[in-house]
Structures are given as structure tokens and as C-alpha cells.
Amino acid sequence: MSAGTGAPLLPAPGRCAVMGVLNVTPDSFSDGGRYLSREDALAHAHAIWRRGADVIDVGGESTRPGSERVDAETELARVLPVIRTLAAEGIVLSVDTTRAAVAAAAVEAGARVINDVSGGLADPDMAKVAADAGVPWILMHWRGHSRDMTALATYDDVVTEVRDELSARVDAALAAGVREDAVVLDPGLGFAKLAEHDWALLHGLDAVRSLGFPVLVGASRKRFLGRLLADAEGEPRPPSGREVATAAVSALAASAGAWGVRVHDVGASLDAVLVAEAWRSGRARG
Ligand code: PMM
């Protein structure tokens, strides 16, 4: 996966890739606080790696709507020891950060992918770090930090606007020297989006794919699924009850040509993408 070796930059398992989430945070919406200790974080990473994750996405700052930012030192202290240990074991890691300094330190510690939910907008130095590192850079559609993002969920035509805003981020990345084969795009479900926007983007995923880059879909346990599965009183289903719907999205995303899905429950989504791949190819596995 390193630059200049001729090997593909991205994990390419021959089906939709499964990125497992490891949030080393006290406040992420579905798993916040569960993996804050180093032992718990490592144990969870080992479990999802054994279950078949193609890459593990390590994050040290919650992006839950409304959440406050942590400082860079706190973020680094959460993610670096975990990345160093897991990378030394040969586990493929991405770092989920909007900070260039955190991305640079994480790559130095062994992370092989940068996952930037701001698509390079939050930190003007991120493009240079990504270009110099020569690792894949996931550019997610983003309009502002978590504290403010609900107010930014205004669109006339969400699919066209997200596609065009992502296209502008690609132009900026390439202008900064990022390799074309290092770019991955992500529609940013739930980030400055209402449920109706998330569904429109999944329905219109081809518009994002039409930009010509691999596409990652991050639907796992998100609010739009909770609303879909609301009870008779209209109360959204809590995150712990959204796993079957998440796996359904993973199968459909794989069918729709997504490069990867970013999920909390690796096993359920891996099963789902295997079904999608067997259906698409018309072949039994093995
Ligand atoms: N969602 C979250 C965090 N990071 N990264 C990408 N590329 N795409 C996403 O949709 C995404 C992300 C929020 O979910 P979490 O708090 O469960 O990690």
C-alpha cells in the first residue's frame, strides 16, 4: 500500500472493503467511552481484525452532532499509542482526524490511510501532509464542525451540491500534489445532513461515483436509520438497535459499487457484503 511500490494504494480485497470503527473517545454517539482505555481499545481492534476488517479506523475526537472539540494533544494522546501498537502487529489502520499534525504523527506511527471528515477544509496543512505521506486520503463531504453542522444542512439539490463540493475538494487535493490514486470520496452521511439528505445521497450514490474515485459509505448506526426504524410513537430506534439496518445498507452500498463501508459491527457488514458479492458475480465463494 505504500507510494511508489506499484502496489495498489488502497486495501483491495476483491469485494467492497469493510472498515471497522475504533473510537478512542468518551463521547462518540454509538460507542463513546467503551474503548477509552488502551487495553479495551486494543482488545476491540483485535476482535474486529480477526472478524475480517480490511482496515481499522482509529479516531480520537468525536464528530457527533453538537459535540465540542478536543485539543490536539488530547487527540494525539488517545490515538498514537493505539496506532503504534496495532501497526507494529501488521494491522492496517486509518486515522480519523481533521488535524494535519495528528495525521502526520499517525502516519509516522504506522497508519496507512488518512480519513479526514472535513475533506481538507478544517486544516489548511492537511493537503500537504497527505501529499507528502503518499497514503490514501479519504475526503468526506463536510460543511463545518460538529457544533454547527445541523444549521448547515440546507440544500436545493443535495446530490448535485455534495458531488460538486466534493469535486472542488478533489481539485484542491490534486493541486496540492496528492496522487490521483490516493483519493477516496465519502458523501458524509449525517454530517450537515438531515435524514432526507442521507437517503437522497444513498439513492444517488452514482453521482458521487461519477467523479471517478473510490467511494466510502459511513451509515453505521446513524440517526437516519434510527428515524427509519422509529416506534409507533415516532421515537427513533436507539443506536444499539440499528445493526440489521446498517448491514442492509452495507449490502446495498456494495451492490451500488461502493469501494468500502465504515461500520462498527464488522462481522454483520462483512457477511452482508459477501452476500452482495456472491449475488453480483453469480458464483459461490472459494
Ligand atoms: N462518520 C463518523 C466518523 N468518521 N468518517 C468517514 N469517512 N465517513 C463517515 O461517515 C464518518 C467518519 C461518525 O461516526 P462515529 O462517531 O460512529 O465514528
Side-chain angles (χ1 to χ4, degrees), residues 63 96-98 115-120 138-142 191:
T63 50
D96 186 348
T97 186
T98 60
N115 175 25
D116 177 1
V117 300
S118 83
I138 299 166
L139 302 164
M140 200 193 78
H141 178 261
W142 185 88
F191 286 79

Side-chain angles (χ1 to χ4, degrees), residues 76-262:
L76 278 168
R78 288 176 182 171
V79 299
L80 276 192
V82 173
I83 289 175
R84 219 173 266 125
T85 304
L86 295 173
E89 295 168 359
I91 293 179
V92 181
L93 302 169
S94 59
V95 60
D96 186 348
T97 186
T98 60
R99 287 193 171 100
V102 174
V107 169
E108 180 72 32
R112 296 201 234 165
V113 179
I114 298 170
N115 175 25
D116 177 1
V117 300
S118 83
L121 282 170
D123 188 331
D125 296 332
M126 185 65 99
K128 183 166 179 350
V129 165
D132 290 350
V135 298
W137 182 17
I138 299 166
L139 302 164
M140 200 193 78
H141 178 261
W142 185 88
R143 284 185 166 181
H145 284 290
S146 303
R147 205 187 40 218
D148 325 306
M149 70 185 176
T150 309
L152 301 169
T154 54
Y155 303 88
D156 288 325
D157 175 348
V158 66
V159 175
T160 305
E161 287 168 57
V162 166
R163 183 201 62 199
D164 292 350
E165 289 169 34
L166 280 175
S167 179
R169 300 319 306 149
V170 172
D171 291 346
L174 299 183
V178 173
R179 283 167 49 165
E180 235 176 88
D181 62 353
V183 173
V184 179
L185 299 179
D186 183 326
L189 302 178
F191 286 79
K193 318 276 180 330
L194 305 179
E196 69 213 54
H197 301 134
D198 294 327
W199 288 116
L201 284 163
L202 287 172
H203 178 77
L205 201 65
D206 267 352
V208 178
R209 288 185 64 229
S210 74
L211 295 173
F213 298 92
V215 171
L216 177 68
V217 170
S220 190
R221 300 179 184 164
K222 283 188 177 167
R223 276 174 308 166
F224 74 111
L225 299 177
R227 278 201 46 196
L228 178 76
L229 306 171
D231 65 17
E233 279 75 50
E235 203 46 49
R237 176 93 56 88
S240 58
R242 301 175 188 167
E243 207 46 64
V244 177
T246 297
V249 173
S250 293
L252 293 165
S255 267
W259 161 76
V261 289
R262 179 184 180 279

